[in-house]
Amino acid sequence: GSPRRVAHAALLVALFAYGIWASLSVDLRLTQAAWFLGTQLVLLMKVHSFMAVTAELPQHTPTLRHLIYFLCAPTLVYAPSYPRTPNVRLYYVTEKVLAAVCTFTAMHVVCDTFIVPVLARSTTLPAHDAVLELLLPMTLMWILLFYLLFDVVLSLLAELTRFADRNFYGQWWNSTCFAAEFARTWNLPVSNWLRVHVYDEAQQRRRLGRGASMFVTFLLSAVVHEYFMVMLFRVVRPYLFAMQLSQLALWWLFERLALRGTRAGNLIFWAGMITGIPLLTTLYCREAEIEATLRADPHLAVGDGGHSGD
């Protein structure tokens, strides 16, 4: 009913507002802020799914046990029950904990040795030089981060909660199009949430067509990603937002050029991944450093607009 929808919306707004307030009030390091923001977004998606699904299942009466299990399970879409494994395998838990420690250590070494020194010079180093120096380190960091989150952390959570579905990602490395393939396969928990709570609802409740529903889903994803970057770097520069939306045009172009499913399409995908990640990192770090400098001494903005050429 209407009161339930109002309570639903009010709770989501309160959680979202608290996340913004806490993020801006506490001076967190970049990795700490990323972890906090990621947790906030996961909690928002889980709360929305729990309330939306239970509202559609009047015969199901959720208990506190249902909610606690759902909050701990490695899924973002609520269901009254999930397939469960018979027990928790101690050797598997040990393996994943050791993998997490080793992967995090490797990420720390790569970041401190090859990434931080370059980003520290981001405002004085020409952008193309910074991108070139970060090509291999950022690609390696992305692969390590992906492995840590999707093959280690989520698998560990699944084992501890006896969650049987371990399908957290598809073969995104074989993608030949960002929007049509990579966006749908690299993060299946989020993709499933977007399909159930945005795409399907846009079609069923809002009576939108397939194309419009897909655009709304893609737009929401781009907005949320940009929100993450804004809160992380404390600057409003919609580079990631523009890059994500441009993938829709590239999708159409890849279809016209018949590049979908081809080796050439996969090579173009990897070229975009290898250059796009360090480019975005460089752009956001440069802007964040410039903004921090201007906040410390506003007089620097007078006469040069706060920016200097490469």
Side-chain angles (χ1 to χ4, degrees):
S2 181
R4 185 187 181 97
R5 287 198 297 268
V6 171
H8 184 171
L11 179 57
L12 292 180
V13 170
L15 287 173
F16 186 71
Y18 172 76
I20 294 176
W21 174 82
S23 180
L24 294 177
S25 300
V26 181
D27 188 17
L28 298 174
R29 297 182 62 183
L30 200 64
T31 51
Q32 295 171 331
W35 183 262
F36 175 81
L37 290 167
T39 304
Q40 178 211 10
L41 292 174
V42 166
L43 182 61
L44 278 168
M45 288 188 284
K46 280 179 176 282
V47 168
H48 173 73
S49 184
F50 182 81
M51 299 188 73
V53 173
T54 54
E56 297 294 327
L57 298 173
Q59 73 278 12
H60 169 62
T61 303
T63 64
L64 182 60
R65 184 177 180 179
H66 285 104
L67 176 61
I68 292 175
Y69 179 80
F70 175 55
L71 291 176
C72 297
T75 179
L76 298 174
V77 178
Y78 177 72
S81 63
Y82 300 95
R84 305 286 294 275
T85 56
N87 51 49
V88 176
R89 297 167 294 175
L90 183 58
Y91 75 89
Y92 186 86
V93 172
T94 304
E95 173 193 325
K96 292 302 179 183
V97 169
L98 291 175
V101 172
C102 293
T103 306
F104 188 80
T105 301
M107 291 172 62
H108 183 75
V109 171
V110 171
C111 188
D112 280 2
T113 306
F114 301 105
I115 296 177
V116 171
V118 178
L119 296 180
R121 299 180 288 128
S122 62
T123 55
T124 58
L125 193 66
H128 58 275
D129 286 346
V131 171
L132 286 174
E133 290 190 37
L134 291 173
L135 285 180
L136 291 179
M138 289 302 300
T139 301
L140 179 58
M141 181 64 78
W142 155 255
I143 293 173
L144 288 172
L145 179 61
F146 174 83
Y147 171 73
L148 177 66
L149 290 178
F150 293 96
D151 211 64
V152 176
V153 174
L154 291 184
S155 295
L156 177 60
L157 283 176
E159 188 66 24
L160 293 174
T161 57
R162 294 171 46 218
F163 191 80
D165 185 2
R166 309 294 168 93
N167 190 27
F168 301 126
Y169 57 89
Q171 295 183 0
W172 58 265
W173 47 88
N174 292 327
S175 297
T176 55
C177 178
F178 279 95
E181 298 171 26
F182 174 74
R184 296 177 179 179
T185 56
W186 82 276
N187 187 341
L188 289 184
V190 170
S191 295
N192 293 336
W193 188 92
L194 288 171
R195 176 180 52 80
V196 171
H197 294 296
V198 182
Y199 180 80
D200 288 349
E201 287 192 16
Q203 287 192 306
Q204 297 167 7
R205 291 190 176 185
R206 306 301 176 186
R207 299 292 187 266
L208 296 180
R210 180 174 176 272
S213 299
M214 192 174 299
F215 177 75
V216 168
T217 304
F218 209 80
L219 180 64
L220 176 64
S221 175
V223 168
V224 172
H225 278 86
E226 191 58 40
Y227 159 77
F228 188 90
M229 302 304 284
V230 168
M231 298 305 296
L232 197 61
F233 291 100
R234 309 291 178 88
V235 292
V236 181
R237 300 290 189 277
Y239 300 128
L240 179 58
F241 180 79
M243 189 172 287
Q244 282 193 268
L245 289 188
S246 70
Q247 299 307 317
L248 294 175
L250 289 176
W251 184 0
W252 174 84
L253 182 62
F254 272 46
E255 293 284 0
R256 292 293 297 269
L257 298 177
L259 289 171
R260 289 279 305 279
T262 65
R263 181 169 296 180
N266 184 242
L267 289 174
I268 294 172
F269 162 77
W270 272 107
M273 283 288 291
I274 292 171
T275 58
I277 295 173
L279 175 60
L280 284 171
T281 304
T282 300
L283 289 174
Y284 279 106
C285 285
R286 283 165 64 95
E287 295 292 347
E289 185 64 28
I290 290 170
E291 287 293 326
T293 302
L294 292 179
R295 282 195 295 267
D297 188 356
H299 297 290
L300 292 175
V302 179
D304 63 359
H307 292 264
S308 59
D310 287 340

